[in-house]
PDB file of all heavy atoms in Angstrom:
ATOM      1  N   PRO A 298       0.823  -1.209   0.003  1.00 93.00           N
ATOM      2  CA  PRO A 298      -0.005   0.008   0.002  1.00 93.00           C
ATOM      3  C   PRO A 298       0.872   1.272  -0.004  1.00 93.00           C
ATOM      4  O   PRO A 298       1.865   1.337   0.727  1.00 93.00           O
ATOM      5  CB  PRO A 298      -0.791  -0.116   1.285  1.00 93.00           C
ATOM      6  CG  PRO A 298      -0.744  -1.575   1.652  1.00 93.00           C
ATOM      7  CD  PRO A 298       0.564  -2.063   1.166  1.00 93.00           C
ATOM      8  N   GLY A 299       0.483   2.214  -0.804  1.00 93.00           N
ATOM      9  CA  GLY A 299       1.219   3.472  -0.894  1.00 93.00           C
ATOM     10  C   GLY A 299       0.598   4.394  -1.904  1.00 93.00           C
ATOM     11  O   GLY A 299      -0.219   3.983  -2.752  1.00 93.00           O
ATOM     12  N   GLU A 300       0.959   5.652  -1.853  1.00 94.00           N
ATOM     13  CA  GLU A 300       0.362   6.648  -2.751  1.00 94.00           C
ATOM     14  C   GLU A 300       0.707   6.394  -4.208  1.00 94.00           C
ATOM     15  O   GLU A 300      -0.103   6.580  -5.091  1.00 94.00           O
ATOM     16  CB  GLU A 300       0.865   8.050  -2.336  1.00 94.00           C
ATOM     17  CG  GLU A 300       0.196   9.200  -3.118  1.00 94.00           C
ATOM     18  CD  GLU A 300      -1.303   9.217  -2.945  1.00 94.00           C
ATOM     19  OE1 GLU A 300      -1.792   8.863  -1.843  1.00 94.00           O
ATOM     20  OE2 GLU A 300      -1.996   9.557  -3.900  1.00 94.00           O
ATOM     21  N   GLN A 301       1.956   5.926  -4.443  1.00 94.00           N
ATOM     22  CA  GLN A 301       2.375   5.677  -5.824  1.00 94.00           C
ATOM     23  C   GLN A 301       1.564   4.548  -6.465  1.00 94.00           C
ATOM     24  O   GLN A 301       1.057   4.695  -7.588  1.00 94.00           O
ATOM     25  CB  GLN A 301       3.861   5.349  -5.871  1.00 94.00           C
ATOM     26  CG  GLN A 301       4.403   5.210  -7.291  1.00 94.00           C
ATOM     27  CD  GLN A 301       5.884   4.911  -7.319  1.00 94.00           C
ATOM     28  OE1 GLN A 301       6.332   3.918  -6.729  1.00 94.00           O
ATOM     29  NE2 GLN A 301       6.656   5.751  -8.009  1.00 94.00           N
ATOM     30  N   SER A 302       1.411   3.433  -5.755  1.00 94.00           N
ATOM     31  CA  SER A 302       0.631   2.300  -6.321  1.00 94.00           C
ATOM     32  C   SER A 302      -0.825   2.697  -6.436  1.00 94.00           C
ATOM     33  O   SER A 302      -1.505   2.231  -7.352  1.00 94.00           O
ATOM     34  CB  SER A 302       0.789   1.081  -5.446  1.00 94.00           C
ATOM     35  OG  SER A 302       0.503   1.339  -4.091  1.00 94.00           O
ATOM     36  N   HIS A 303      -1.309   3.545  -5.531  1.00 95.00           N
ATOM     37  CA  HIS A 303      -2.693   3.996  -5.625  1.00 95.00           C
ATOM     38  C   HIS A 303      -2.902   4.863  -6.876  1.00 95.00           C
ATOM     39  O   HIS A 303      -3.891   4.712  -7.610  1.00 95.00           O
ATOM     40  CB  HIS A 303      -3.070   4.797  -4.367  1.00 95.00           C
ATOM     41  CG  HIS A 303      -4.468   5.324  -4.403  1.00 95.00           C
ATOM     42  ND1 HIS A 303      -4.760   6.656  -4.432  1.00 95.00           N
ATOM     43  CD2 HIS A 303      -5.655   4.658  -4.397  1.00 95.00           C
ATOM     44  CE1 HIS A 303      -6.063   6.830  -4.464  1.00 95.00           C
ATOM     45  NE2 HIS A 303      -6.641   5.630  -4.425  1.00 95.00           N
ATOM     46  N   GLN A 304      -1.981   5.758  -7.153  1.00 95.00           N
ATOM     47  CA  GLN A 304      -2.090   6.617  -8.320  1.00 95.00           C
ATOM     48  C   GLN A 304      -2.026   5.809  -9.624  1.00 95.00           C
ATOM     49  O   GLN A 304      -2.630   6.166 -10.624  1.00 95.00           O
ATOM     50  CB  GLN A 304      -0.977   7.686  -8.297  1.00 95.00           C
ATOM     51  CG  GLN A 304      -1.258   8.805  -7.305  1.00 95.00           C
ATOM     52  CD  GLN A 304      -2.571   9.501  -7.565  1.00 95.00           C
ATOM     53  OE1 GLN A 304      -2.900   9.828  -8.720  1.00 95.00           O
ATOM     54  NE2 GLN A 304      -3.342   9.714  -6.509  1.00 95.00           N
ATOM     55  N   ARG A 305      -1.290   4.721  -9.585  1.00 96.00           N
ATOM     56  CA  ARG A 305      -1.231   3.847 -10.775  1.00 96.00           C
ATOM     57  C   ARG A 305      -2.591   3.217 -11.068  1.00 96.00           C
ATOM     58  O   ARG A 305      -3.004   3.068 -12.203  1.00 96.00           O
ATOM     59  CB  ARG A 305      -0.181   2.755 -10.584  1.00 96.00           C
ATOM     60  CG  ARG A 305       1.247   3.252 -10.665  1.00 96.00           C
ATOM     61  CD  ARG A 305       2.234   2.161 -10.308  1.00 96.00           C
ATOM     62  NE  ARG A 305       3.608   2.643 -10.296  1.00 96.00           N
ATOM     63  CZ  ARG A 305       4.652   1.952  -9.826  1.00 96.00           C
ATOM     64  NH1 ARG A 305       4.453   0.763  -9.268  1.00 96.00           N
ATOM     65  NH2 ARG A 305       5.860   2.464  -9.870  1.00 96.00           N
ATOM     66  N   CYS A 306      -3.314   2.854  -9.998  1.00 95.00           N
ATOM     67  CA  CYS A 306      -4.653   2.331 -10.169  1.00 95.00           C
ATOM     68  C   CYS A 306      -5.555   3.365 -10.822  1.00 95.00           C
ATOM     69  O   CYS A 306      -6.320   3.041 -11.739  1.00 95.00           O
ATOM     70  CB  CYS A 306      -5.253   1.918  -8.820  1.00 95.00           C
ATOM     71  SG  CYS A 306      -4.481   0.468  -8.046  1.00 95.00           S
ATOM     72  N   VAL A 307      -5.461   4.615 -10.356  1.00 95.00           N
ATOM     73  CA  VAL A 307      -6.243   5.691 -10.957  1.00 95.00           C
ATOM     74  C   VAL A 307      -5.844   5.881 -12.407  1.00 95.00           C
ATOM     75  O   VAL A 307      -6.705   6.064 -13.318  1.00 95.00           O
ATOM     76  CB  VAL A 307      -6.054   6.977 -10.131  1.00 95.00           C
ATOM     77  CG1 VAL A 307      -6.801   8.139 -10.818  1.00 95.00           C
ATOM     78  CG2 VAL A 307      -6.514   6.801  -8.716  1.00 95.00           C
ATOM     79  N   LEU A 308      -4.549   5.875 -12.682  1.00 96.00           N
ATOM     80  CA  LEU A 308      -4.023   6.106 -14.013  1.00 96.00           C
ATOM     81  C   LEU A 308      -4.529   5.091 -15.012  1.00 96.00           C
ATOM     82  O   LEU A 308      -4.964   5.400 -16.113  1.00 96.00           O
ATOM     83  CB  LEU A 308      -2.481   6.114 -13.959  1.00 96.00           C
ATOM     84  CG  LEU A 308      -1.764   6.450 -15.250  1.00 96.00           C
ATOM     85  CD1 LEU A 308      -2.023   7.872 -15.672  1.00 96.00           C
ATOM     86  CD2 LEU A 308      -0.256   6.198 -15.064  1.00 96.00           C
ATOM     87  N   PHE A 309      -4.484   3.784 -14.645  1.00 96.00           N
ATOM     88  CA  PHE A 309      -4.858   2.723 -15.578  1.00 96.00           C
ATOM     89  C   PHE A 309      -6.334   2.437 -15.574  1.00 96.00           C
ATOM     90  O   PHE A 309      -6.811   1.673 -16.428  1.00 96.00           O
ATOM     91  CB  PHE A 309      -4.061   1.462 -15.266  1.00 96.00           C
ATOM     92  CG  PHE A 309      -2.647   1.525 -15.773  1.00 96.00           C
ATOM     93  CD1 PHE A 309      -1.603   1.848 -14.904  1.00 96.00           C
ATOM     94  CD2 PHE A 309      -2.346   1.242 -17.083  1.00 96.00           C
ATOM     95  CE1 PHE A 309      -0.296   1.927 -15.357  1.00 96.00           C
ATOM     96  CE2 PHE A 309      -1.050   1.308 -17.547  1.00 96.00           C
ATOM     97  CZ  PHE A 309      -0.011   1.656 -16.682  1.00 96.00           C
ATOM     98  N   GLY A 310      -7.085   3.045 -14.611  1.00 96.00           N
ATOM     99  CA  GLY A 310      -8.544   2.901 -14.676  1.00 96.00           C
ATOM    100  C   GLY A 310      -9.140   3.693 -15.830  1.00 96.00           C
ATOM    101  O   GLY A 310     -10.116   3.260 -16.454  1.00 96.00           O
ATOM    102  N   ALA A 311      -8.520   4.840 -16.138  1.00 96.00           N
ATOM    103  CA  ALA A 311      -9.050   5.713 -17.197  1.00 96.00           C
ATOM    104  C   ALA A 311      -9.074   5.034 -18.577  1.00 96.00           C
ATOM    105  O   ALA A 311     -10.089   5.045 -19.270  1.00 96.00           O
ATOM    106  CB  ALA A 311      -8.248   7.003 -17.248  1.00 96.00           C
ATOM    107  N   PRO A 312      -7.963   4.430 -19.050  1.00 96.00           N
ATOM    108  CA  PRO A 312      -8.013   3.775 -20.360  1.00 96.00           C
ATOM    109  C   PRO A 312      -8.980   2.582 -20.389  1.00 96.00           C
ATOM    110  O   PRO A 312      -9.543   2.283 -21.453  1.00 96.00           O
ATOM    111  CB  PRO A 312      -6.576   3.331 -20.625  1.00 96.00           C
ATOM    112  CG  PRO A 312      -5.903   3.370 -19.316  1.00 96.00           C
ATOM    113  CD  PRO A 312      -6.609   4.418 -18.514  1.00 96.00           C
ATOM    114  N   LEU A 313      -9.157   1.892 -19.268  1.00 97.00           N
ATOM    115  CA  LEU A 313     -10.109   0.802 -19.237  1.00 97.00           C
ATOM    116  C   LEU A 313     -11.525   1.312 -19.494  1.00 97.00           C
ATOM    117  O   LEU A 313     -12.263   0.758 -20.296  1.00 97.00           O
ATOM    118  CB  LEU A 313     -10.035   0.053 -17.900  1.00 97.00           C
ATOM    119  CG  LEU A 313     -11.090  -1.050 -17.710  1.00 97.00           C
ATOM    120  CD1 LEU A 313     -10.928  -2.106 -18.763  1.00 97.00           C
ATOM    121  CD2 LEU A 313     -10.988  -1.637 -16.312  1.00 97.00           C
ATOM    122  N   LEU A 314     -11.889   2.392 -18.822  1.00 97.00           N
ATOM    123  CA  LEU A 314     -13.233   2.958 -19.013  1.00 97.00           C
ATOM    124  C   LEU A 314     -13.407   3.443 -20.455  1.00 97.00           C
ATOM    125  O   LEU A 314     -14.489   3.323 -21.027  1.00 97.00           O
ATOM    126  CB  LEU A 314     -13.462   4.095 -18.004  1.00 97.00           C
ATOM    127  CG  LEU A 314     -13.550   3.700 -16.549  1.00 97.00           C
ATOM    128  CD1 LEU A 314     -13.715   4.939 -15.655  1.00 97.00           C
ATOM    129  CD2 LEU A 314     -14.722   2.740 -16.331  1.00 97.00           C
ATOM    130  N   GLU A 315     -12.369   4.028 -21.027  1.00 97.00           N
ATOM    131  CA  GLU A 315     -12.465   4.503 -22.405  1.00 97.00           C
ATOM    132  C   GLU A 315     -12.653   3.346 -23.391  1.00 97.00           C
ATOM    133  O   GLU A 315     -13.431   3.437 -24.334  1.00 97.00           O
ATOM    134  CB  GLU A 315     -11.211   5.303 -22.769  1.00 97.00           C
ATOM    135  CG  GLU A 315     -11.266   6.734 -22.263  1.00 97.00           C
ATOM    136  CD  GLU A 315     -12.439   7.513 -22.817  1.00 97.00           C
ATOM    137  OE1 GLU A 315     -12.640   7.510 -24.032  1.00 97.00           O
ATOM    138  OE2 GLU A 315     -13.165   8.083 -22.000  1.00 97.00           O
ATOM    139  N   SER A 316     -11.928   2.246 -23.154  1.00 97.00           N
ATOM    140  CA  SER A 316     -12.068   1.081 -24.055  1.00 97.00           C
ATOM    141  C   SER A 316     -13.432   0.453 -23.905  1.00 97.00           C
ATOM    142  O   SER A 316     -14.020  -0.014 -24.902  1.00 97.00           O
ATOM    143  CB  SER A 316     -10.958   0.078 -23.756  1.00 97.00           C
ATOM    144  OG  SER A 316     -11.021  -0.402 -22.420  1.00 97.00           O
ATOM    145  N   VAL A 317     -13.990   0.440 -22.699  1.00 97.00           N
ATOM    146  CA  VAL A 317     -15.339  -0.100 -22.486  1.00 97.00           C
ATOM    147  C   VAL A 317     -16.362   0.804 -23.187  1.00 97.00           C
ATOM    148  O   VAL A 317     -17.297   0.328 -23.831  1.00 97.00           O
ATOM    149  CB  VAL A 317     -15.649  -0.209 -20.972  1.00 97.00           C
ATOM    150  CG1 VAL A 317     -17.137  -0.513 -20.769  1.00 97.00           C
ATOM    151  CG2 VAL A 317     -14.825  -1.314 -20.341  1.00 97.00           C
ATOM    152  N   ARG A 318     -16.159   2.117 -23.064  1.00 96.00           N
ATOM    153  CA  ARG A 318     -17.081   3.046 -23.721  1.00 96.00           C
ATOM    154  C   ARG A 318     -17.058   2.864 -25.229  1.00 96.00           C
ATOM    155  O   ARG A 318     -18.114   2.881 -25.896  1.00 96.00           O
ATOM    156  CB  ARG A 318     -16.693   4.500 -23.387  1.00 96.00           C
ATOM    157  CG  ARG A 318     -17.629   5.552 -23.928  1.00 96.00           C
ATOM    158  CD  ARG A 318     -17.073   6.962 -23.721  1.00 96.00           C
ATOM    159  NE  ARG A 318     -15.819   7.143 -24.453  1.00 96.00           N
ATOM    160  CZ  ARG A 318     -15.767   7.428 -25.743  1.00 96.00           C
ATOM    161  NH1 ARG A 318     -16.890   7.553 -26.456  1.00 96.00           N
ATOM    162  NH2 ARG A 318     -14.608   7.594 -26.368  1.00 96.00           N
ATOM    163  N   ALA A 319     -15.877   2.654 -25.799  1.00 96.00           N
ATOM    164  CA  ALA A 319     -15.774   2.444 -27.258  1.00 96.00           C
ATOM    165  C   ALA A 319     -16.471   1.138 -27.677  1.00 96.00           C
ATOM    166  O   ALA A 319     -17.174   1.112 -28.693  1.00 96.00           O
ATOM    167  CB  ALA A 319     -14.269   2.396 -27.650  1.00 96.00           C
ATOM    168  N   LEU A 320     -16.285   0.086 -26.881  1.00 96.00           N
ATOM    169  CA  LEU A 320     -16.940  -1.185 -27.210  1.00 96.00           C
ATOM    170  C   LEU A 320     -18.462  -1.033 -27.169  1.00 96.00           C
ATOM    171  O   LEU A 320     -19.174  -1.554 -28.039  1.00 96.00           O
ATOM    172  CB  LEU A 320     -16.484  -2.272 -26.218  1.00 96.00           C
ATOM    173  CG  LEU A 320     -17.124  -3.646 -26.430  1.00 96.00           C
ATOM    174  CD1 LEU A 320     -16.763  -4.224 -27.786  1.00 96.00           C
ATOM    175  CD2 LEU A 320     -16.695  -4.605 -25.315  1.00 96.00           C
ATOM    176  N   LEU A 321     -18.973  -0.332 -26.168  1.00 95.00           N
ATOM    177  CA  LEU A 321     -20.421  -0.129 -26.059  1.00 95.00           C
ATOM    178  C   LEU A 321     -20.947   0.708 -27.237  1.00 95.00           C
ATOM    179  O   LEU A 321     -22.054   0.458 -27.721  1.00 95.00           O
ATOM    180  CB  LEU A 321     -20.763   0.527 -24.751  1.00 95.00           C
ATOM    181  CG  LEU A 321     -20.855  -0.392 -23.535  1.00 95.00           C
ATOM    182  CD1 LEU A 321     -21.179   0.394 -22.284  1.00 95.00           C
ATOM    183  CD2 LEU A 321     -21.945  -1.463 -23.758  1.00 95.00           C
ATOM    184  N   GLY A 322     -20.156   1.668 -27.679  1.00 94.00           N
ATOM    185  CA  GLY A 322     -20.568   2.444 -28.832  1.00 94.00           C
ATOM    186  C   GLY A 322     -20.699   1.556 -30.072  1.00 94.00           C
ATOM    187  O   GLY A 322     -21.652   1.693 -30.858  1.00 94.00           O
ATOM    188  N   LEU A 323     -19.763   0.625 -30.240  1.00 93.00           N
ATOM    189  CA  LEU A 323     -19.827  -0.302 -31.361  1.00 93.00           C
ATOM    190  C   LEU A 323     -21.008  -1.246 -31.187  1.00 93.00           C
ATOM    191  O   LEU A 323     -21.734  -1.559 -32.152  1.00 93.00           O
ATOM    192  CB  LEU A 323     -18.521  -1.085 -31.421  1.00 93.00           C
ATOM    193  CG  LEU A 323     -18.240  -1.915 -32.668  1.00 93.00           C
ATOM    194  CD1 LEU A 323     -18.222  -1.041 -33.921  1.00 93.00           C
ATOM    195  CD2 LEU A 323     -16.925  -2.647 -32.514  1.00 93.00           C
ATOM    196  N   ALA A 324     -21.233  -1.728 -29.968  1.00 92.00           N
ATOM    197  CA  ALA A 324     -22.295  -2.698 -29.724  1.00 92.00           C
ATOM    198  C   ALA A 324     -23.684  -2.095 -29.871  1.00 92.00           C
ATOM    199  O   ALA A 324     -24.648  -2.837 -30.039  1.00 92.00           O
ATOM    200  CB  ALA A 324     -22.140  -3.266 -28.305  1.00 92.00           C
ATOM    201  N   SER A 325     -23.784  -0.767 -29.823  1.00 91.00           N
ATOM    202  CA  SER A 325     -25.081  -0.129 -29.920  1.00 91.00           C
ATOM    203  C   SER A 325     -25.545   0.001 -31.358  1.00 91.00           C
ATOM    204  O   SER A 325     -26.693   0.407 -31.612  1.00 91.00           O
ATOM    205  CB  SER A 325     -25.044   1.261 -29.251  1.00 91.00           C
ATOM    206  OG  SER A 325     -24.175   2.131 -29.963  1.00 91.00           O
ATOM    207  N   GLU A 326     -24.680  -0.307 -32.327  1.00 90.00           N
ATOM    208  CA  GLU A 326     -25.075  -0.235 -33.718  1.00 90.00           C
ATOM    209  C   GLU A 326     -26.203  -1.225 -34.015  1.00 90.00           C
ATOM    210  O   GLU A 326     -26.223  -2.323 -33.446  1.00 90.00           O
ATOM    211  CB  GLU A 326     -23.896  -0.480 -34.644  1.00 90.00           C
ATOM    212  CG  GLU A 326     -22.839   0.613 -34.560  1.00 90.00           C
ATOM    213  CD  GLU A 326     -21.698   0.391 -35.549  1.00 90.00           C
ATOM    214  OE1 GLU A 326     -21.756  -0.567 -36.323  1.00 90.00           O
ATOM    215  OE2 GLU A 326     -20.747   1.191 -35.529  1.00 90.00           O
ATOM    216  N   MET A 327     -27.093  -0.862 -34.915  1.00 86.00           N
ATOM    217  CA  MET A 327     -28.274  -1.653 -35.172  1.00 86.00           C
ATOM    218  C   MET A 327     -27.961  -3.086 -35.622  1.00 86.00           C
ATOM    219  O   MET A 327     -28.700  -4.026 -35.339  1.00 86.00           O
ATOM    220  CB  MET A 327     -29.144  -0.969 -36.228  1.00 86.00           C
ATOM    221  CG  MET A 327     -30.499  -1.587 -36.432  1.00 86.00           C
ATOM    222  SD  MET A 327     -31.519  -0.626 -37.576  1.00 86.00           S
ATOM    223  CE  MET A 327     -30.514  -0.647 -39.071  1.00 86.00           C
ATOM    224  N   HIS A 328     -26.825  -3.248 -36.320  1.00 86.00           N
ATOM    225  CA  HIS A 328     -26.460  -4.587 -36.776  1.00 86.00           C
ATOM    226  C   HIS A 328     -26.266  -5.534 -35.605  1.00 86.00           C
ATOM    227  O   HIS A 328     -26.441  -6.761 -35.750  1.00 86.00           O
ATOM    228  CB  HIS A 328     -25.141  -4.533 -37.585  1.00 86.00           C
ATOM    229  CG  HIS A 328     -25.041  -3.348 -38.487  1.00 86.00           C
ATOM    230  ND1 HIS A 328     -25.759  -3.215 -39.655  1.00 86.00           N
ATOM    231  CD2 HIS A 328     -24.291  -2.219 -38.394  1.00 86.00           C
ATOM    232  CE1 HIS A 328     -25.462  -2.076 -40.238  1.00 86.00           C
ATOM    233  NE2 HIS A 328     -24.574  -1.433 -39.496  1.00 86.00           N
ATOM    234  N   LEU A 329     -25.882  -4.992 -34.466  1.00 92.00           N
ATOM    235  CA  LEU A 329     -25.547  -5.828 -33.301  1.00 92.00           C
ATOM    236  C   LEU A 329     -26.617  -5.786 -32.218  1.00 92.00           C
ATOM    237  O   LEU A 329     -26.835  -6.789 -31.536  1.00 92.00           O
ATOM    238  CB  LEU A 329     -24.227  -5.380 -32.705  1.00 92.00           C
ATOM    239  CG  LEU A 329     -22.992  -5.547 -33.618  1.00 92.00           C
ATOM    240  CD1 LEU A 329     -21.771  -4.860 -32.997  1.00 92.00           C
ATOM    241  CD2 LEU A 329     -22.688  -7.004 -33.892  1.00 92.00           C
ATOM    242  N   SER A 330     -27.273  -4.668 -32.056  1.00 92.00           N
ATOM    243  CA  SER A 330     -28.248  -4.511 -30.964  1.00 92.00           C
ATOM    244  C   SER A 330     -29.663  -4.811 -31.361  1.00 92.00           C
ATOM    245  O   SER A 330     -30.548  -4.928 -30.510  1.00 92.00           O
ATOM    246  CB  SER A 330     -28.154  -3.092 -30.365  1.00 92.00           C
ATOM    247  OG  SER A 330     -28.526  -2.143 -31.336  1.00 92.00           O
TER     248      SER A 330
END
């Protein structure tokens, strides 16, 4: 436990959320939904 490892969690959470958002955008297309 420490501030540095905590900040890394915050740092790498952002690209995960962006990749999930992109996948959902693709999945919402009529061909798939």
